[in-house]
Amino acid sequence: MSKCEQCIVREFSSLKALNKEELLKIADCKSSYTIKKGEPIFTEGENVNGIFCIKDGVCKLTKLSANGNDQIVKLISKGELLGQRSMISDEPVNLSAVALEDMEVCFIPKTEIMGLFNQNNQFSMNMMRAICGDLKEADEHLVTMAQKSVKQRLAETLVYLQDTFGINPDNSLKVKLSREELAGMVGTATESCIRLLSEFNKLGVIELSGKKITITNKAQLLKAAN
């Protein structure tokens, strides 16, 4: 079991405000898990009663729509926390979190986190800033969905996946999403997503090989979508 003070989650999240004594208290009460690809970390409507620290791997946050489809709201990668908002608001989680690849996560119970929340002003401020950042992102996503075409949203999503999660040695996008997942992230039908990918492929701005997608010209991809 790794030490909390040396963990990547501590470096990049609200936990960076905690001192060594506080981190040792967390280390004593946390639980560590391996989540296999396709498995849920938690499911919409569940009472989580704590936060999850993503030590390694990527998961998708999804919302079940009225027509029974999963809308991907966001992708979360190592160094981030999950469950902060529902823990503070004392509500069940309003999204599901599902592993896109094998993950290493730690769970810290609510009682321990709320104790730190009351004792460490910088920690509580960091956590509130993170929640405010999520709200800002949600607002921007709402505007994007309303004002941009599906073509623009798909192009920008592909660039986001490359810029945020990187590429494999063969230059293909590191995060592998099915066509259904990609469509869910863009907010369109799977058929539309497949058709637009094919269109981008014909224009030479991306290359398709099975599930693999490679951006060959980022600037031209964004230009072609306008």
Side-chain angles (χ1 to χ4, degrees):
M1 193 179 285
S2 67
K3 294 179 180 177
C4 289
E5 63 264 32
Q6 295 168 353
C7 181
I8 188 169
V9 188
R10 188 243 169 164
E11 292 172 39
F12 294 107
S13 72
S14 311
L15 301 177
K16 62 179 174 280
L18 303 182
N19 61 39
K20 190 166 185 178
E21 188 182 324
E22 289 166 330
L23 287 165
L24 287 170
K25 280 178 77 178
I26 280 182
D28 284 341
C29 71
K30 74 174 183 181
S31 308
S32 299
Y33 302 96
T34 297
I35 311 284
K36 294 292 181 187
K37 180 180 177 179
E39 288 181 356
I41 298 172
F42 53 73
T43 305
E44 190 176 336
E46 195 178 319
N47 286 302
V48 172
N49 294 319
I51 60 169
F52 288 91
C53 307
I54 309 303
K55 189 179 167 191
D56 199 20
V58 180
C59 71
K60 59 180 179 178
L61 290 180
T62 66
K63 182 82 177 166
L64 195 63
S65 63
N67 62 8
N69 292 327
D70 276 332
Q71 171 81 44
I72 295 183
V73 176
K74 192 178 180 184
L75 299 183
I76 300 286
S77 59
K78 66 180 180 181
E80 297 188 67
L81 301 177
L82 282 176
Q84 301 171 94
R85 189 204 61 80
S86 61
M87 182 190 69
I88 290 168
S89 64
D90 204 20
E91 295 172 342
V93 287
N94 67 328
L95 302 169
S96 296
V98 179
L100 285 172
E101 57 190 41
D102 289 356
M103 300 181 72
E104 298 294 328
V105 304
C106 292
F107 177 76
I108 306 168
K110 179 179 180 176
T111 47
E112 199 62 44
I113 290 293
M114 292 313 286
L116 295 169
F117 204 82
N118 294 327
Q119 294 159 20
N120 187 320
N121 288 340
Q122 190 56 56
F123 171 66
S124 52
M125 184 60 76
N126 284 356
M127 194 166 277
M128 296 311 291
R129 280 197 185 118
I131 293 167
C132 288
D134 287 342
L135 285 171
K136 183 183 175 184
E137 272 185 35
D139 288 344
E140 288 170 352
H141 182 67
L142 198 64
V143 171
T144 295
M145 294 291 275
Q147 296 184 352
K148 293 188 178 179
S149 69
V150 174
K151 199 173 184 180
Q152 284 175 303
R153 298 202 304 266
L154 177 58
E156 288 176 7
T157 298
L158 293 173
V159 169
Y160 158 78
L161 291 173
Q162 177 169 295
D163 290 349
T164 308
F165 302 102
I167 55 175
N168 293 311
D170 64 358
N171 293 326
S172 63
L173 299 179
K174 190 167 272 186
V175 171
K176 278 187 193 171
L177 296 173
S178 68
R179 299 298 187 253
E180 290 80 9
E181 286 170 331
L182 191 53
M185 198 168 175
V186 173
T188 189
T190 305
E191 297 75 22
S192 299
C193 180
I194 291 167
R195 179 176 51 78
L196 287 169
L197 285 172
S198 178
E199 198 177 307
F200 287 149
N201 187 47
K202 283 175 188 169
L203 288 169
V205 291
I206 68 169
E207 280 179 7
L208 302 174
S209 175
K211 274 191 180 180
K212 287 185 177 182
I213 300 173
T214 306
I215 297 175
T216 52
N217 193 321
K218 192 195 291 187
Q220 284 299 316
L221 170 61
L222 292 171
K223 196 174 175 183
N226 290 313

